[in-house]
Amino acid sequence: MSGTFLGIGDYAVSNEADSVLKTYLGSCVAVILLDPITRTVGMVHIALPDSSLDPSKKELLPGYFADSGIAVLFNKMKEYGFSEKSHKLIVKLVGGASVMSQCDVFNIGLRNVEAAKSILKSMGLHISSEDVGEKYSRSVAIEVDTGKVTVSSPGRGQWDI
Amino acid sequence: MNKKLVNKEIMIAIKSAPLLSPSVYDIIRKIAEPDHSLADVVKIVKHDSALTARLLRVVNSAAFATLDPVNSVDRAISLLGERMVVGLAISESTGNLFHKPLEGYDGKKGDLWSHDLIVAYATRKIAGLAKINIDPELAFTGGLLHDIGKAIISDFLKGTAEELLQSIDKGHVDDYASAEKNFLGVNHQAVGYELAMNWNLPESIQQMILHHHSPAESDDEFKPYVYAVHLGDIISMMSGFGTGTDIMQYNLDQGYEEYFNLKFESIASVMLEIKDKCKRVIGVEDCM
């Protein structure tokens, strides 16, 4: 089985049955799109909620921000055969951990989750399952063949969502 | 567990750790002097043939590809920057210490060095956001060395991750450092501090190592530096770069507000700095 690792701000789409998409997340958020008809999987690793924070970076690395990242991933899914007219995507959301503090300035995890949810809603995409927030980091792996999304956290085991 | 016996074994491990080479020691001491210059660092490197060879190898590698081969120490250091010289010198002279798997944290080989480099770059960026003047190179070096205690204490924490995390989740302790102390009688900051004293590192760096999770307890003179490392560490973990099971299991001390005027945008800029430095400079393949 071949694995594709997504770093911060990366996105990838695959329809190769033997491949796995992986990433790890602190306050970052992974938006996962699954197309059950074309058996295509896409994921984007979002670090910040809004590309207005650094417009030049948006051009180079659209996946870094929730607004540009979700849009670019959605378009990529279309290139792989997804059609809005025929069916709906399965959407999953993982990550967005909080720092152990009440400090709002540092609560980027929550902002990322809120931004991702708001953008998905505006695009008419319904989140079917999520594992977000809390105060621990996560790794996420998606099997393209089965669409199984497995989340793990160091010292806390692993679970499917 | 007999904590006294374990503490004795930890002290033996500290004493057995590789000693810094004289040139590395000199470079760190020099960087801690406020009025040092790049020429001072060049002078020290020129007297260490192994370090010179290493710097030339790195500067001529693909990551720093230049049009013409670089053959002089002066040009190599001006291209790499003082901070890369410090990093390479420390990495070169401490054997396996920074590069071994951190089994006590379920961390794999290379995690500690990657985390330390990322914290160093984040800390340097944060130093530039301080309300007062902070030497960015000294802050970088403190970031690089802040977690060195984990290389020693990790061997004594094998198989404890689940228990330590549960003690935090159940509210028995505040953070992972307290969980370590509860379990072993000592935490990674204190072990790192012992090692830093053993290496005779400058007091500023000792303080950054000892108090990076409790910056309010550091000496007033060094507080801006200690808070810079504290913030660099937190933001690196937020970006997903830790050393294993303890990632994001430390409290943020809001006392930083006295020294840094951080807004959401500035934290975002530090995260972007981490992204920029990740693969190109640090060589973490997982970054991009």
Side-chain angles (χ1 to χ4, degrees), chain B residues 118-174:
Chain B
I118 287 165
V119 172
Y121 277 103
T123 302
R124 186 175 185 276
K125 179 82 176 174
I126 289 161
L129 303 170
K131 292 177 184 175
I132 57 165
N133 195 25
I134 297 183
D135 177 8
E137 305 308 334
L138 179 56
F140 180 92
T141 308
L144 200 61
L145 290 164
H146 78 287
D147 262 350
I148 189 59
K150 286 182 182 172
I152 304 288
I153 205 174
S154 169
D155 294 342
F156 300 88
L157 288 171
K158 286 178 190 170
T160 64
E162 205 172 317
E163 184 181 336
L164 299 197
L165 287 172
Q166 274 183 15
S167 67
I168 300 168
D169 292 346
K170 289 177 181 171
H172 297 159
V173 290
D174 281 345

Side-chain angles (χ1 to χ4, degrees), chain A residues 53-100:
Chain A
L53 288 160
D54 190 336
S56 64
K57 199 80 173 178
K58 177 187 169 185
E59 301 304 319
L60 290 169
L61 207 61
Y64 204 88
F65 307 97
D67 52 351
S68 49
I70 294 172
V72 78
L73 182 68
F74 187 72
N75 289 333
K76 200 76 183 167
M77 292 296 285
K78 285 182 177 174
E79 287 178 26
Y80 274 70
F82 166 66
S83 168
E84 289 174 84
K85 291 174 188 165
S86 62
H87 61 283
K88 288 190 181 300
L89 289 170
I90 297 167
V91 183
K92 300 193 178 190
L93 200 60
V94 183
S98 299
V99 172
M100 290 165 69

Side-chain angles (χ1 to χ4, degrees), chain A residues 13-19 21 38-41 79-81 144-145:
Chain A
V13 173
S14 176
N15 56 9
E16 293 172 19
D18 67 339
S19 74
L21 304 184
T38 62
R39 298 181 82 83
T40 303
V41 166
E79 287 178 26
Y80 274 70
V144 175
D145 187 28

Side-chain angles (χ1 to χ4, degrees), chain A residues 4-155:
Chain A
T4 300
F5 188 89
L6 276 66
I8 310 169
D10 285 347
Y11 64 92
V13 173
S14 176
N15 56 9
E16 293 172 19
D18 67 339
S19 74
V20 178
L21 304 184
K22 298 176 190 172
T23 196
Y24 52 69
L25 308 154
S27 61
C28 298
V29 165
V31 172
I32 298 158
L33 303 180
L34 305 153
D35 184 341
I37 304 299
T38 62
R39 298 181 82 83
T40 303
V41 166
M43 176 161 69
V44 60
H45 180 144
I46 294 162
L48 292 170
D50 187 345
S51 59
S52 64
L53 288 160
D54 190 336
S56 64
K57 199 80 173 178
K58 177 187 169 185
E59 301 304 319
L60 290 169
L61 207 61
Y64 204 88
F65 307 97
D67 52 351
S68 49
I70 294 172
V72 78
L73 182 68
F74 187 72
N75 289 333
K76 200 76 183 167
M77 292 296 285
K78 285 182 177 174
E79 287 178 26
Y80 274 70
F82 166 66
S83 168
E84 289 174 84
K85 291 174 188 165
S86 62
H87 61 283
K88 288 190 181 300
L89 289 170
I90 297 167
V91 183
K92 300 193 178 190
L93 200 60
V94 183
S98 299
V99 172
M100 290 165 69
S101 158
Q102 300 301 315
C103 181
D104 281 344
V105 179
F106 273 78
N107 208 346
I108 290 177
L110 179 64
R111 290 179 193 226
N112 282 335
V113 171
E114 285 176 349
K117 284 185 173 179
S118 164
I119 292 158
L120 289 167
K121 191 178 177 185
S122 72
M123 295 169 74
L125 296 169
H126 172 71
I127 298 168
S128 63
S129 62
E130 63 179 53
D131 181 21
V132 297
E134 304 294 346
K135 293 182 168 62
Y136 51 83
S137 70
R138 299 164 172 89
S139 292
V140 57
I142 316 159
E143 290 178 7
V144 175
D145 187 28
T146 60
K148 188 169 87 164
V149 178
T150 304
V151 180
S152 61
S153 182

Side-chain angles (χ1 to χ4, degrees), chain B residues 38-286:
Chain B
L38 193 61
D40 296 326
V41 177
V42 172
K43 199 171 162 185
I44 298 166
V45 173
K46 278 182 172 171
H47 286 94
D48 186 329
S49 56
L51 183 55
T52 297
R54 172 86 168 123
L55 292 182
L56 291 174
R57 201 161 64 240
V58 169
V59 82
N60 285 302
S61 69
F64 289 91
T66 53
L67 288 174
D68 301 311
V70 177
N71 298 312
S72 79
V73 172
D74 303 65
R75 180 135 188 269
I77 294 179
S78 71
L79 283 169
L80 290 170
E82 193 176 285
R83 67 207 72 102
M84 271 300 283
V85 175
V86 175
L88 289 167
I90 290 173
S91 170
E92 192 80 349
S93 79
T94 48
N96 195 33
L97 208 55
F98 279 95
H99 303 283
K100 66 182 202 177
L102 293 183
E103 292 180 50
Y105 296 86
D106 293 347
K108 60 184 188 299
K109 188 179 177 184
D111 281 354
L112 178 62
W113 185 239
S114 300
H115 170 70
D116 287 345
L117 273 170
I118 287 165
V119 172
Y121 277 103
T123 302
R124 186 175 185 276
K125 179 82 176 174
I126 289 161
L129 303 170
K131 292 177 184 175
I132 57 165
N133 195 25
I134 297 183
D135 177 8
E137 305 308 334
L138 179 56
F140 180 92
T141 308
L144 200 61
L145 290 164
H146 78 287
D147 262 350
I148 189 59
K150 286 182 182 172
I152 304 288
I153 205 174
S154 169
D155 294 342
F156 300 88
L157 288 171
K158 286 178 190 170
T160 64
E162 205 172 317
E163 184 181 336
L164 299 197
L165 287 172
Q166 274 183 15
S167 67
I168 300 168
D169 292 346
K170 289 177 181 171
H172 297 159
V173 290
D174 281 345
D175 67 357
Y176 210 92
S178 304
E180 288 172 351
K181 190 167 183 182
N182 221 19
F183 188 81
L184 291 177
V186 67
N187 58 31
H188 70 270
Q189 308 97 285
V191 171
Y193 174 67
E194 287 291 335
L195 184 59
M197 286 203 296
N198 207 33
W199 282 348
N200 204 17
L201 293 178
E203 199 183 347
S204 53
I205 292 176
Q206 290 181 19
Q207 290 270 315
M208 286 187 255
I209 293 171
L210 180 61
H211 293 301
H212 67 271
H213 293 306
S214 53
E217 293 172 21
S218 60
D219 292 351
D220 286 348
E221 183 186 348
F222 304 115
K223 272 196 170 71
Y225 286 94
V226 179
Y227 270 107
V229 175
H230 176 67
L231 295 170
D233 194 23
I234 294 273
I235 297 174
S236 299
M237 288 189 278
M238 286 166 61
S239 299
F241 294 100
T243 54
T245 46
D246 66 328
I247 183 169
M248 297 192 79
Q249 299 304 307
Y250 299 99
N251 289 294
L252 171 70
D253 180 342
Q254 282 184 250
Y256 76 81
E257 288 167 354
E258 191 177 339
Y259 307 97
F260 300 90
N261 186 19
L262 291 187
K263 293 180 180 164
F264 173 67
E265 288 76 10
S266 28
I267 298 166
S269 76
V270 177
M271 292 178 78
L272 285 162
E273 172 80 358
I274 289 171
K275 173 66 181 171
D276 280 344
K277 291 291 185 291
C278 237
K279 188 176 181 184
R280 191 173 59 83
V281 179
I282 299 172
V284 180
E285 291 301 325
D286 289 352

